[in-house]
């Protein structure tokens, strides 16, 4: 696959779902990819990227922004509270607001800086013990608590269990967003972004289908 192929499939999925063209943002997930692959996608004109690790992103994006101009960066990996300060300086959006202590920290940073990245609350739709995220049953209260802190909530994010049909999880996330008046839905990855778009995704996070398989060695 390539960037134009993926963009074409996104536009087609929007059309099939009866949604306006351009209503879905493609976040190109560049974590642990070789720099030349990332530069190639930048050269093709793409300007929205996702990263999972604060340190890796810090080492890569200041120079790339220098070279290529403004790039919208989305944090999609678990965020440690002690890295939150670096994250809010680097990222335009954080998709992994998953606990009260992080909400408190982000609120303090927002007060001090006067600006805050767009925030997505991560919901553990599969209620998997090893996975981060607010449990579905706790989501309404957590969203209300974040709003009481004046945090700029943009929407919700989920990572469905690997061994299940993701559509039930996308539907569950959409329902929680609807009843809380949130319009952003960060869901869908390389294997299932079209299904996510059919169920209302506004942000799809696609890595390997654009860049090729990741190698962690
Ligand atoms: C790595 C990652 C992706 C991209 O996964 P692909 O299957 O390579 O598209 C999307 N979302 C999150 C949270 C990730 O960690």
């Amino acid at each position: 696959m390539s960037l134009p192929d993926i963009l074409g499939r996104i536009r087609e999925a929007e059309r099939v779902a009866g949604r306006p063209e351009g209503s879905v943002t493609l976040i190109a997930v560049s974590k642990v990819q070789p720099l030349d692959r990332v530069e190639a996608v930048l050269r093709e004109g793409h300007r929205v990227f996702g990263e999972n690790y604060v340190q890796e992103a810090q080492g890569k994006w200041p120079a790339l922004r220098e070279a290529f101009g403004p790039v919208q960066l989305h944090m999609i990996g678990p965020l440690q509270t002690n890295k939150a300060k670096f994250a809010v300086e680097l990222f335009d959006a954080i998709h992994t607001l998953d606990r009260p202590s992080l909400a408190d920290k982000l609120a303090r940073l927002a007060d001090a800086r006067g600006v805050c990245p767009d925030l997505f609350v991560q919901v553990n739709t599969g209620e998997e013990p090893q996975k981060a995220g607010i449990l579905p049953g706790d989501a309404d209260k957590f969203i209300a608590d974040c709003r009481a802190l004046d945090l700029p909530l943009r929407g919700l994010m989920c990572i469905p269990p690997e061994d299940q049909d993701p559509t039930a999880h996308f539907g569950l996330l959409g329902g929680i967003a609807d009843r809380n008046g949130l319009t952003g839905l960060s869901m869908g990855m390389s294997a299932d972004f079209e299904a996510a778009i059919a169920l209302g995704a506004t942000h799809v996070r696609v890595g390997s289908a654009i860049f090729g398989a990741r190698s962690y060695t």
Side-chain angles (χ1 to χ4, degrees):
M1 278 288 149
S2 67
L3 178 70
D5 292 329
I6 298 297
L7 285 170
R9 285 170 58 187
I10 289 173
R11 298 290 92 94
E12 176 64 10
E14 286 171 339
R15 196 188 61 73
V16 169
R19 300 180 50 194
E21 185 173 335
S23 51
V24 178
T25 298
L26 171 62
I27 300 173
V29 177
S30 47
K31 63 168 175 240
V32 310
Q33 294 287 355
L35 200 56
D36 60 330
R37 291 192 197 166
V38 181
E39 286 171 341
V41 171
L42 280 160
R43 251 180 262 114
E44 288 183 277
H46 198 68
R47 290 294 181 272
V48 186
F49 289 81
E51 290 283 347
N52 284 59
Y53 312 102
V54 172
Q55 213 169 338
E56 182 191 348
Q58 276 179 316
K60 182 166 27 171
W61 284 102
L64 288 171
R65 278 173 160 161
E66 190 85 13
F68 289 89
V71 171
Q72 212 188 92
L73 275 190
H74 294 250
M75 173 63 179
I76 64 168
L79 181 54
Q80 293 170 253
T81 309
N82 63 6
K83 300 255 173 73
K85 184 170 182 296
F86 303 115
V88 298
E89 286 164 2
L90 187 64
F91 291 98
D92 302 285
I94 295 172
H95 293 234
T96 47
L97 172 49
D98 61 357
R99 59 193 190 277
S101 61
L102 183 58
D104 288 337
K105 178 75 180 187
L106 291 172
R108 280 200 301 279
L109 289 167
D111 281 342
R113 301 171 71 239
V115 288
C116 185
D118 286 341
L119 299 176
F120 291 74
V121 170
Q122 181 174 356
V123 181
N124 186 356
T125 56
E127 308 198 19
E128 296 172 279
Q130 81 285 10
K131 204 169 265 179
I134 300 290
L135 293 175
D138 299 335
D140 294 353
K141 168 149 194 329
F142 183 68
I143 290 164
D145 291 345
C146 288
R147 285 180 163 148
L149 290 169
D150 268 337
L151 288 172
L153 286 195
R154 172 86 178 74
L156 304 179
M157 176 271 216
C158 75
I159 308 170
E162 264 171 42
D163 56 349
Q164 289 179 26
D165 179 351
T167 55
H169 297 273
F170 297 154
L172 173 61
L173 197 71
I176 298 170
D178 276 348
R179 68 172 185 253
N180 284 284
L182 288 167
T183 53
L185 284 175
S186 168
M187 56 190 199
M189 317 198 332
S190 289
D192 55 19
F193 66 88
E194 283 141 324
I197 291 169
L199 288 164
T202 58
H203 295 71
V204 293
R205 311 178 308 264
V206 180
S208 43
I210 297 173
F211 296 103
R214 282 180 292 276
S215 152
Y216 284 91
T217 53

